[in-house]
Amino acid sequence: MNANSIGRQVSWLALLPWAPSQCVPMLGPRGYAKASDPELLAWSASGDRRAFDEIVVRHGPFALRVALRLVRDSVAAEDMVQEAMLRAWSKAAQFDHSRASFTTWLYRIVVNLCIDYRRRVTPEPLPEDFEQTDPSANAGELLDTGQRLAMLASVLGDLPARQRAVIALVYEEGMSGAEAARVLGMSAKAVERLLARARASVRERLVAHDLIKGTRTC
Amino acid sequence: MLTEKRFRRLVESYGANLQHWPRNIRGGAERLLDRSARARALLEAARGLDDVIEAASTHEAAILLQPQEMNAALARLRANVGAQIASPAAQEAWKQRFAPSLTATWPIFSGIGWIGISSVGGLAIAAGLLIGTLYQPESRSVSALAMLMQPAPIHILTN
């Protein structure tokens, strides 16, 4: 049974004059906090906005963290995540749990929106706290640890979109390579190659800014 | 068995932290590390880059992912998403999503909607009233109340 069939079973509620979410009390209280993602999604598919709010509470933080790391602009990141959530709401009835987990599906929407955003727009200026430094400066001229860290963060943030995404998913959010592959819509082998390229890109930039020695490391 | 060539590829991808490696490979990686000094050297060499990436990531998180800001962002997200899915346009789109399947199943509701339901309900009420007026209970010659009001007979002893 997928969200679509469950949604159809209560779809007659659509004929009632009041808004769909107001029908929920007629069905009795629901344990939203303890419900599984498939249950919440099925309820959402039948118009239960409270169930979808639980989905936002449950998965919003992860989505916001990844989006913020990818686009590095709080307004844009919130817009991306909001758009992803609205797409999840509109397609809740069509989601098939036998093909993918809900988290994979949602995070894929978030990551793809962020990657598309990065490709479309010029990189935003770093937040004031980032202590902007001249990227051509050598680390030897940077006496302040904070400035060095700012440059390191800048190197990370300037990676190509998909490389930054895989670093965020695997290193920062602790996903396995297989999980990251599903989110990115790639094979596990392709994710390994992407991770290797990302690490190589970071190393090259760090060497260029004299932040690490230029000897070959992994 | 995990080869050194494959081990090197995995180090280049996942770094020195075996917790990032695929779960089904960790055992083989640990066994290789036990017996191969070259594997241990590769892993150790990768730690430097791991430490730099982690430092950069931590600094970035301290700026972009402050707990107060994250809580506020989540609150805004909930409010905005909630408002969007509750909007009249979203409600109509939701109903349209299900209405076609309903009209296909129950043609009587096609194009009639609430008018159809109201008409059926009104007819049911009218039928009930009609049955009530047509059916008259059988009248009694003597009402029960009248019988109750009759005084009880008085028996006078006659001898």
Side-chain angles (χ1 to χ4, degrees), chain B residues 60-130:
Chain B
E60 188 181 64
I63 305 299
L64 293 174
L65 308 180
Q66 293 179 12
Q68 261 185 324
E69 288 298 319
M70 292 299 292
N71 290 338
L74 182 60
R76 285 192 295 270
L77 179 67
R78 291 177 71 186
N80 291 338
V81 170
Q84 288 279 333
I85 65 179
S87 68
Q91 295 288 330
E92 188 55 38
W94 189 90
K95 287 181 179 176
Q96 287 297 325
R97 200 166 72 226
F98 289 104
S101 65
L102 287 168
T103 55
T105 307
W106 298 316
I108 192 171
F109 292 122
S110 172
I112 299 178
W114 263 109
I115 296 175
I117 295 174
S118 303
S119 301
V120 170
L123 284 172
I125 293 171
L129 289 172
L130 185 62

Side-chain angles (χ1 to χ4, degrees), chain A residues 15 17 20 53 78 164 192, chain B residues 13 50 60 76 78 91 114:
Chain A
L15 289 180
D53 181 64
E78 288 181 36
R164 184 66 188 92
E192 284 184 12
Chain B
S13 296
D50 283 0
E60 188 181 64
R76 285 192 295 270
R78 291 177 71 186
Q91 295 288 330
W114 263 109

Side-chain angles (χ1 to χ4, degrees), chain A residues 67-80:
Chain A
L68 280 163
R69 288 191 186 277
L70 289 181
V71 302
R72 301 170 83 196
D73 177 286
S74 58
V75 173
E78 288 181 36
D79 285 347
M80 300 296 111

